[in-house]
Amino acid sequence: SQQGEEDPQALSIQEGENATMNCSYKTSINNLQWYRQNSGRGLVHLILIRSNEREKHSGRLRVTLDTSKKSSSLLITASRAADTASYFCAPFYNQGGKLIFGQGTELSVKP
Amino acid sequence: GAVVSQHPSRVICKSGTSVKIECRSLDFQATTMFWYRQFPKKSLMLMATSNEGSKATYEQGVEKDKFLINHASLTLSTLTVTSAHPEDSSFYICSARSFTGDTQYFGPGTRLTVL
């Protein structure tokens, strides 16, 4: 399967806490991308990490990639109620070039 | 970041009619566009990949005669749902990627309701 598998499926935390979401995939990738989707909206691209990178930061987001374990994690620090959304990882393979999405992690941040 | 628009954002139609959804890349040339379908509380299901000027490649199980895709220019792709039925009601999302880019930029989605 080409899709990423996110874990956990749902996560509920208090505002100010950190949220960690994990992603696993099956075969070698070119890069891995994380997206956010607010209810009833399109996807917003958050961050892209290439296969030769181990960690990347963007504001309150931190993404790690372990190609030996075929896994990635997304950490949102100091979460806010506005971070409430579904988060998807999408492994990008050289062949085909299409993004296949898993079920995502539904994050709920309570004020 | 790059912007992708979709039109309309919502459409309600009668069973048996056809509906066209437009996807536009506003500030870049999209050599490849993708169409996804999403059911409530579910993930996005890739329907087809279209490259500008060529026929779309459909995913397994997607009826190409039902979901007509046209990618006639580098900034516009259309999805036409032909002879729509209530089971076609869904959230349709397009995305676009430039020739040199790895990132896919998504449109805001179109909510289709077939009565």
Side-chain angles (χ1 to χ4, degrees):
Chain A
S1 167
Q2 293 182 307
Q3 68 193 55
E5 298 290 344
E6 294 89 352
D7 173 66
Q9 289 189 358
L11 180 61
S12 182
I13 58 174
Q14 293 294 131
E15 212 167 24
E17 294 180 339
N18 295 342
T20 300
M21 289 158 266
N22 301 298
C23 170
S24 60
Y25 57 91
K26 294 280 169 56
T27 60
S28 296
I29 57 172
N30 178 286
N31 64 67
L32 187 139
Q33 304 176 35
W34 284 90
Y35 288 83
R36 182 187 75 225
Q37 184 183 32
N38 290 85
S39 181
R41 303 289 186 107
L43 274 71
V44 173
H45 181 258
L46 295 177
I47 202 162
L48 180 155
I49 186 165
R50 301 196 181 280
S51 59
N52 62 352
E53 297 175 309
R54 291 297 165 258
E55 190 170 309
K56 206 162 181 180
H57 296 253
S58 177
R60 292 184 296 112
L61 306 180
R62 180 186 144 216
V63 167
T64 63
L65 179 65
D66 186 335
T67 52
S68 65
K69 294 181 180 177
K70 293 186 173 56
S71 67
S72 174
S73 68
L74 170 66
L75 168 68
I76 303 175
T77 59
S79 63
R80 305 167 181 167
D83 295 328
T84 294
S86 291
Y87 291 81
F88 297 91
C89 72
F92 182 84
Y93 303 92
N94 286 327
Q95 262 188 323
K98 53 191 178 184
L99 295 181
I100 308 293
F101 292 90
Q103 295 297 312
T105 293
E106 198 170 327
L107 174 66
S108 174
V109 182
K110 301 186 189 310
Chain B
V3 179
V4 175
S5 69
Q6 270 183 253
H7 179 79
S9 57
R10 290 178 180 273
V11 57
I12 300 173
C13 70
K14 292 183 179 178
S15 191
T17 60
S18 294
V19 173
K20 181 185 283 188
I21 302 169
E22 291 186 351
C23 176
R24 293 181 186 273
S25 57
L26 299 185
D27 51 3
F28 68 101
Q29 294 188 324
T31 50
T32 307
M33 285 186 166
F34 305 85
W35 286 94
Y36 293 82
R37 180 176 180 175
Q38 186 177 35
F39 294 100
K41 301 280 188 187
K42 297 288 185 183
S43 184
L44 286 79
M45 181 192 81
L46 179 65
M47 298 173 68
T49 302
S50 76
N51 291 296
E52 185 264 337
S54 60
K55 286 185 180 179
T57 301
Y58 290 81
E59 295 297 304
Q60 195 171 9
V62 178
E63 299 174 62
K64 59 181 69 175
D65 295 330
K66 173 90 177 152
F67 299 100
L68 301 179
I69 292 171
N70 184 281
H71 190 169
S73 79
L74 285 171
T75 58
L76 173 65
S77 175
T78 60
L79 167 68
T80 301
V81 183
T82 63
S83 187
H85 288 104
E87 57 264 32
D88 298 325
S89 296
S90 192
F91 192 54
Y92 292 89
I93 307 176
C94 73
S95 68
R97 191 179 72 216
S98 68
F99 178 72
T100 56
D102 294 335
T103 302
Q104 278 182 221
Y105 296 96
F106 285 78
T110 296
R111 174 77 56 195
L112 170 64
T113 303
V114 185
L115 302 176

